[in-house]
Amino acid sequence: MTVYGIGLGPGDADLVTVKGKRLLESAAVVYSPGRLSRTVALNHVPEERIGDLDFPMTRDPDELRRAWKEAAAEVAARADTEDVAFVTLGDPNVYSTFGHLRRTLDAFHPEVDLEVVPGVSAMTAFTTVLGVEIESGTGLALREAANGSAPTGPDRMVLFKVTDAPTTHEKLTEAGYDVRFGRRLFMEQGETVVTDDPDELAERDYYTLAYAEREGVEREVATAAFDGVESGGSA
């Protein structure tokens, strides 16, 4: 049988893909690595079909490997006779815990069939909320910005895990970027915030993102000439 790694999207149960919803409804058991992904899954799966896996709150690599080996063993045993799912917020291959499960299954249970079901990533959901368009021919970099870090270089970046928004904002503005923030977008738990003011996000929160764009970046697509033109006018 098959283990499906299913992306649940950014937190709104309505943003689960049609295929993801269908597989959630048919899977014998649905494993969730966290409280938020479990909450989204419960919109599509009865609680009695939610499986629990133990993941310790540690960065010790030996403890983490032990936990993932135990989780993979349980998932593989269930998948021997029936289809199961492992869900994560966003997309399974973008800043997701699913990669740990895939690597562990590949190493110790290579007989298990795996299939990844894409989900709406936090990155694309965030840029949509901000009204940011990444035009054809331009680039967008993904960076992690925990504990006040502020990576620079690319003209446009989406930053994950912005746990010290004021410090990250200060460093990026000094480096010549305009910065906007979003927190807990599309999530039922906690307050959703979209702001240019980092002081509104002074409290640490793992689910905070930032969009940074270098000041003065020009749009080179042909229709950029229409920006600001009144209806009926000409460029």
Side-chain angles (χ1 to χ4, degrees):
M1 308 302 286
T2 302
V3 174
Y4 294 96
I6 300 177
L8 296 176
D12 185 337
D14 288 341
L15 292 178
V16 175
T17 67
V18 173
K19 182 174 183 178
K21 176 180 173 62
R22 173 172 58 80
L23 291 172
L24 288 174
E25 292 173 344
S26 64
V29 61
V30 175
Y31 293 101
S32 169
R35 180 173 54 87
L36 288 174
S37 57
R38 180 189 182 102
T39 299
V40 178
L42 283 171
N43 286 271
H44 306 286
V45 181
E47 189 159 10
E48 60 267 22
R49 285 204 286 117
I50 298 289
D52 291 317
L53 298 172
D54 181 30
F55 298 108
M57 297 296 291
T58 179
R59 293 189 177 183
D60 181 85
D62 291 331
E63 279 294 298
L64 290 172
R65 283 190 286 266
R66 177 197 59 77
W68 280 107
K69 285 178 68 175
E70 292 178 357
E74 177 173 335
V75 171
R78 292 298 298 263
D80 186 52
T81 57
E82 50 198 1
D83 289 338
V84 302
F86 183 93
V87 296
T88 66
L89 292 176
D91 184 275
N93 283 338
V94 181
Y95 286 86
S96 165
T97 56
F98 177 73
H100 296 301
L101 179 66
R102 177 184 56 76
R103 284 185 287 273
T104 310
L105 287 172
D106 285 346
F108 297 98
H109 307 277
E111 75 283 358
V112 174
D113 290 330
L114 284 169
E115 181 177 333
V116 177
V117 181
V120 177
S121 71
M123 174 196 70
T124 53
F126 177 43
T127 55
T128 297
V129 168
L130 294 183
V132 171
E133 176 192 0
I134 308 302
E135 305 92 343
S136 174
T138 62
L140 178 69
L142 301 181
R143 296 289 189 270
E144 195 169 308
N147 302 317
S149 63
T152 59
D155 289 339
R156 298 177 179 87
M157 298 181 289
V158 170
L159 308 178
F160 289 83
K161 304 178 184 179
V162 186
T163 53
D164 186 348
T167 301
T168 296
H169 180 270
E170 180 181 1
K171 292 177 178 178
L172 286 173
T173 53
E174 288 178 355
Y177 287 88
D178 292 320
V179 188
R180 284 179 280 173
F181 297 91
R183 171 172 290 178
R184 292 188 175 260
L185 305 174
F186 301 100
M187 294 182 179
E188 296 179 2
Q189 295 83 8
E191 180 185 7
T192 296
V193 180
V194 178
T195 182
D196 297 332
D197 183 0
D199 291 333
E200 294 185 29
L201 305 172
E203 183 178 349
R204 295 171 63 90
D205 191 314
Y206 175 88
Y207 293 104
T208 303
L209 299 93
Y211 174 72
E213 181 173 298
R214 193 177 297 278
E215 296 174 357
V217 170
E218 295 184 0
R219 268 70 179 167
E220 298 182 357
V221 295
T223 51
F226 299 151
D227 289 347
V229 176
E230 295 182 2
S231 178
S234 60

